[in-house]
């Protein structure tokens, strides 16, 4: 379950980072006229997957796949869209970027907007799921060790209690 | 990418491959071909969407654009042709993109009182129709009687919001997604049709720096645009917003077929003088966009919404 959730985080983080790159690429007229800026999206997703899959770089990559980075990237995208294109343009530009990339016959902007929304929500949900699981494990640890104060006392008396909690957290950090 | 592909399914609008269902009458492409060759009287009822119909359909078909025949709007399009179908007792061959909407069309027409023994579904739909000699297209049309070339295109709302130098580009070209209007027909066919119309190309530009600042030459063209429901033709210039000084559009037949073949950009109409586009605006010299900062975008107050099929009309103008 945790593996699937991590994979979702990796993919959706790649998606939003790629999307931000595509949006920035769109601002450079020369590039936009000569290149499909939507290609930044699969490129970032592939790099994310490589980063996750290759052990030596995973520890660096894990810093990028955090809920904070994800939410901040999403907020930057929304801010850039609204300030640059307004509300009506914000419904067109992201979908148009994805349309240029996927070019599915018969699909209108509304369908591409749906795909983007689902991708963004999947990422948010996966990070929220991780947050909830961490909270739950932390709560369970506290209950098992008999509360904060007792935990502190026990910790002093028996350092292995601290290690137990820390180990559980480290396992969840993937 | 895998996730994106999976999500495509979630986004809806799926298409189903044809499977002949019991209780419906079918006709094979071979049978239909032999009937067409024998000039047998029949009604070819096409339900392809407007874009697909423009790209290709069986010659002589009645277009309804009713696909996928799921909404009231789709059924209303079919309802519009029912009185015509009831005028005679000819067999009706339903032509669908792949066959999925044909059974719904069949059911609808049967429900409207058309005898089921008149109704036939083309097996495999238009996708499996192999006989090119019985296919017509409306993507680029030469109308010698009216003295015009018409190009079907699709509105790209992306360029209502951001800038471009491309007015109309064939979707099969490398710049197909970079224009206000995405053409459904080839720029090469368009070039040949303009020649057949008697237009003379300028062929005075080359894609080198020494031609920067030069204006495209060639015969002047009136370019108009219209779409279903507009009821009139409007100058293309009204549909394009320019930055800075608003110069009247002067579209000229630049020609440039050699470079069009070489670069395969698909450019039909460029908004500044261009050594690759078949026609371009002589009001703005070559390099206006890249070097002089001129900007163009589609006028969303004039043009219809994204995805609407429009017809761009080119006529020889008097100088």
């Amino acid at each position: 379950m945790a593996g699937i959730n991590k994979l979702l985080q990796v993919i959706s983080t790649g998606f939003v980072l790629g999307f931000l790159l595509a949006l920035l690429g769109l601002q450079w007229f020369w590039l936009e006229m000569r290149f499909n800026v939507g290609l930044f999206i699969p490129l970032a997703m592939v790099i994310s997957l490589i980063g996750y899959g290759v052990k030596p770089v995973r520890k660096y990559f894990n810093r990028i796949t955090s809920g904070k980075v994800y939410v901040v990237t999403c907020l930057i995208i929304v801010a850039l869209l609204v300030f640059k294109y307004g509300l009506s343009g914000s419904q067109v530009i992201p979908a148009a970027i994805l349309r240029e990339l996927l070019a599915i016959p018969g699909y209108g902007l509304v369908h591409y907007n749906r795909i983007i929304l689902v991708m963004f929500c999947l990422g948010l949900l996966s990070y929220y799921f991780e947050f909830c699981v961490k909270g739950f494990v932390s709560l369970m640890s506290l209950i098992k060790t008999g509360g904060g104060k007792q935990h502190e006392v026990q910790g002093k008396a028996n350092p292995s209690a601290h290690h137990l909690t820390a180990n559980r957290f480290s396992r969840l950090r993937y | 990418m895998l996730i994106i592909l999976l999500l495509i399914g979630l986004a809806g609008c799926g298409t189903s491959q044809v499977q002949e269902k019991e209780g419906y009458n079918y006709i094979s492409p071979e049978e239909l071909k032999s009937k067409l060759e024998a000039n047998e009287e029949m009604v070819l009822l096409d339900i392809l969407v407007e874009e697909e119909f423009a790209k290709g359909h069986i010659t002589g078909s009645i277009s309804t654009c009713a696909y996928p025949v799921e909404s009231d709007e789709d059924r209303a399009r079919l309802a519009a042709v029912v009185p015509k179908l009831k005028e005679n007792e000819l067999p009706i061959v339903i032509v669908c993109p792949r066959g999925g909407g044909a059974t719904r069309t069949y059911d609808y027409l049967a429900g409207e009182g058309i005898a089921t023994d008149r109704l036939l579904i083309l097996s495999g739909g238009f996708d499996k129709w192999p006989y090119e000699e019985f296919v017509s297209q409306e993507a680029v049309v030469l109308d010698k009687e009216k003295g015009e070339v018409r190009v079907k295109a699709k509105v790209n709302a992306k360029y209502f919001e951001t800038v471009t130098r491309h007015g109309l580009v064939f979707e099969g070209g490398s710049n197909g997604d970079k224009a206000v209007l995405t053409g459904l027909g080839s720029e090469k066919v368009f070039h040949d049709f303009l020649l057949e119309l008697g237009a003379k190309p300028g062929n005075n530009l080359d894609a080198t720096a020494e031609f920067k600042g030069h204006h495209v030459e060639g015969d002047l063209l009136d370019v108009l645009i219209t779409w279903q429901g507009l009821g009139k033709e409007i100058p293309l210039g009204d549909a394009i917003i320019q930055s800075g000084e608003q110069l009247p559009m002067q579209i000229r037949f630049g020609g440039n077929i050699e470079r069009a073949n070489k670069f395969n950009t698909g450019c039909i109409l460029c908004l500044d003088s261009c050594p690759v586009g078949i026609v371009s605006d002589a009001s703005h010299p070559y390099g206006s966009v890249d070097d002089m900062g001129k900007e163009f975008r589609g006028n969303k107050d004039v043009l219809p919404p994204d995805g609407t099929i429009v017809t761009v009309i080119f006529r020889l103008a008097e100088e």
Side-chain angles (χ1 to χ4, degrees):
Chain A
M1 190 67 183
I4 292 171
N5 196 50
K6 187 66 191 178
L7 194 65
L8 263 181
Q9 286 177 1
V10 168
I11 289 169
S12 49
T13 303
F15 183 82
V16 292
L17 287 173
F19 210 95
L20 181 62
L21 282 176
L23 210 51
L24 292 172
L26 192 66
Q27 312 310 309
W28 184 12
F29 181 75
W30 185 91
L31 183 73
E32 210 281 309
M33 283 289 109
R34 287 161 180 81
F35 181 71
N36 181 351
V37 291
L39 285 169
F40 282 124
I41 298 170
L43 193 71
M45 287 166 86
V46 168
I47 291 171
S48 298
L49 284 168
I50 292 170
Y52 175 58
V54 180
K55 263 192 174 171
V57 287
R58 190 183 293 171
K59 62 177 177 182
Y60 304 106
F61 181 75
N62 275 346
R63 287 178 201 160
I64 299 171
T65 52
S66 79
K68 275 180 200 165
V69 171
Y70 188 83
V71 170
V72 168
T73 311
C74 288
L75 287 175
I76 293 171
I77 289 171
V78 171
L80 189 61
L81 280 171
V82 173
F83 285 116
K84 176 80 185 173
Y85 303 105
L87 282 176
S88 67
S90 301
Q91 292 165 42
V92 173
I93 292 295
I97 289 172
L98 201 61
R99 174 168 66 185
E100 221 172 300
L101 174 71
L102 299 174
I104 306 162
Y107 266 42
L109 292 179
V110 67
H111 298 106
Y112 292 104
N113 274 331
R114 253 185 250 174
I115 295 173
I116 294 165
L117 205 65
V118 168
M119 283 304 289
F120 274 39
C121 290
L122 271 180
L124 280 177
L125 282 174
S126 64
Y127 282 112
Y128 182 68
F129 177 74
E130 183 190 348
F131 174 77
C132 289
V133 171
K134 274 184 179 175
F136 178 73
V137 171
S138 162
L139 185 70
M140 291 304 286
S141 307
L142 282 175
I143 291 167
K144 275 188 179 172
T145 52
K149 232 178 179 179
Q150 264 180 298
H151 177 260
E152 209 173 285
V153 175
Q154 272 187 352
K156 274 176 189 168
N158 178 12
S160 63
H162 260 318
H163 289 152
L164 180 75
T165 317
N167 280 342
R168 283 183 186 181
F169 273 111
S170 68
R171 257 185 277 145
L172 277 159
R173 273 192 209 117
Y174 311 97
Chain B
M1 281 306 286
L2 192 70
I3 292 281
I4 288 188
L5 291 173
L6 288 171
L7 289 168
I8 290 162
L10 286 176
C13 217
T15 50
S16 55
Q17 190 55 40
V18 196
Q19 287 225 326
E20 293 194 6
K21 291 180 184 172
E22 270 187 42
Y24 296 94
N25 308 319
Y26 287 86
I27 182 169
S28 68
E30 298 74 28
E31 283 175 280
L32 181 58
K33 186 204 174 204
S34 56
K35 283 177 189 289
L36 288 170
E37 281 172 337
N39 285 324
E40 277 188 37
E41 279 198 286
M42 71 185 94
V43 178
L44 291 167
L45 190 72
D46 194 307
I47 63 166
L48 296 172
V49 294
E50 195 179 358
E51 181 184 343
E52 297 299 325
F53 187 85
K55 286 180 194 170
H57 55 266
I58 299 175
T59 309
S61 304
I62 298 172
S63 172
T64 61
C65 308
Y67 187 81
V69 201
E70 283 174 342
S71 67
D72 288 343
E73 202 181 327
D74 298 339
R75 284 185 283 273
R77 291 191 185 115
L78 282 179
V81 296
V82 168
K84 202 174 176 183
L85 299 176
K86 285 183 175 173
E87 280 173 9
N88 52 53
E89 291 301 316
L90 294 173
I92 300 164
V93 179
I94 301 164
V95 185
C96 180
R98 284 158 289 273
T103 50
R104 289 187 287 276
T105 306
Y106 190 108
D107 292 339
Y108 176 81
L109 294 178
E112 288 295 308
I114 292 172
T116 51
D117 58 358
R118 287 180 64 198
L119 298 171
L120 296 158
I121 295 171
L122 176 64
S123 290
F126 186 68
D127 275 10
K128 296 271 189 265
W129 177 256
Y131 306 109
E132 287 292 320
E133 64 273 30
F134 289 103
V135 173
S136 302
Q137 59 86 28
E138 290 176 3
V140 189
V141 175
L142 168 65
D143 189 334
K144 281 187 175 170
E145 259 178 47
K146 288 186 177 173
E148 65 188 31
V149 178
R150 293 188 293 271
V151 181
K152 291 268 185 188
K154 209 166 36 170
V155 174
N156 183 359
K158 178 182 175 186
Y159 295 105
F160 293 176
E161 308 297 337
T162 188
V163 293
T164 181
R165 63 176 302 208
H166 302 291
L168 172 61
V169 178
F170 171 44
E171 62 181 359
S174 58
N175 286 337
D177 294 314
K178 307 290 184 193
V180 178
L181 302 170
T182 306
L184 305 181
S186 155
E187 78 281 14
K188 285 127 196 171
V189 176
F190 172 72
H191 175 271
D192 293 347
F193 282 176
L194 278 184
L195 287 179
E196 275 191 58
L197 202 63
K200 290 180 184 66
N203 287 319
N204 67 309
L205 295 178
D206 201 351
T208 52
E210 64 182 285
F211 286 92
K212 292 276 174 93
H214 289 226
H215 295 256
V216 67
E217 292 171 10
D219 278 353
L220 187 67
L221 300 162
D222 282 331
V223 187
L224 302 136
I225 183 169
T226 188
W227 55 92
Q228 207 171 24
L230 184 68
K232 61 179 178 180
E233 294 165 358
I234 57 168
L236 183 70
D238 293 355
I240 304 294
I241 297 171
Q242 306 169 28
S243 64
E245 194 187 353
Q246 302 290 302
L247 298 172
M249 208 175 236
Q250 269 193 68
I251 300 294
R252 289 188 181 274
F253 180 27
N256 305 318
I257 193 65
E258 273 181 36
R259 279 174 297 279
N261 284 325
K262 184 180 169 189
F263 297 121
N264 210 23
T265 58
C267 293
I268 296 175
L269 186 151
C270 297
L271 298 168
D272 63 340
S273 293
C274 179
V276 181
I278 305 299
V279 302
S280 52
D281 191 348
S283 300
H284 308 284
Y286 175 37
S288 294
V289 174
D290 285 336
D291 306 328
M292 298 167 213
K294 190 78 182 175
E295 291 181 345
F296 302 96
R297 63 180 76 212
N299 188 346
K300 60 178 157 189
D301 296 328
V302 172
L303 286 167
D306 183 84
T308 308
I309 302 294
V310 297
T311 306
V312 188
I313 304 154
F314 298 83
R315 295 189 189 116
L316 276 170
E318 285 181 20
E319 299 257 6

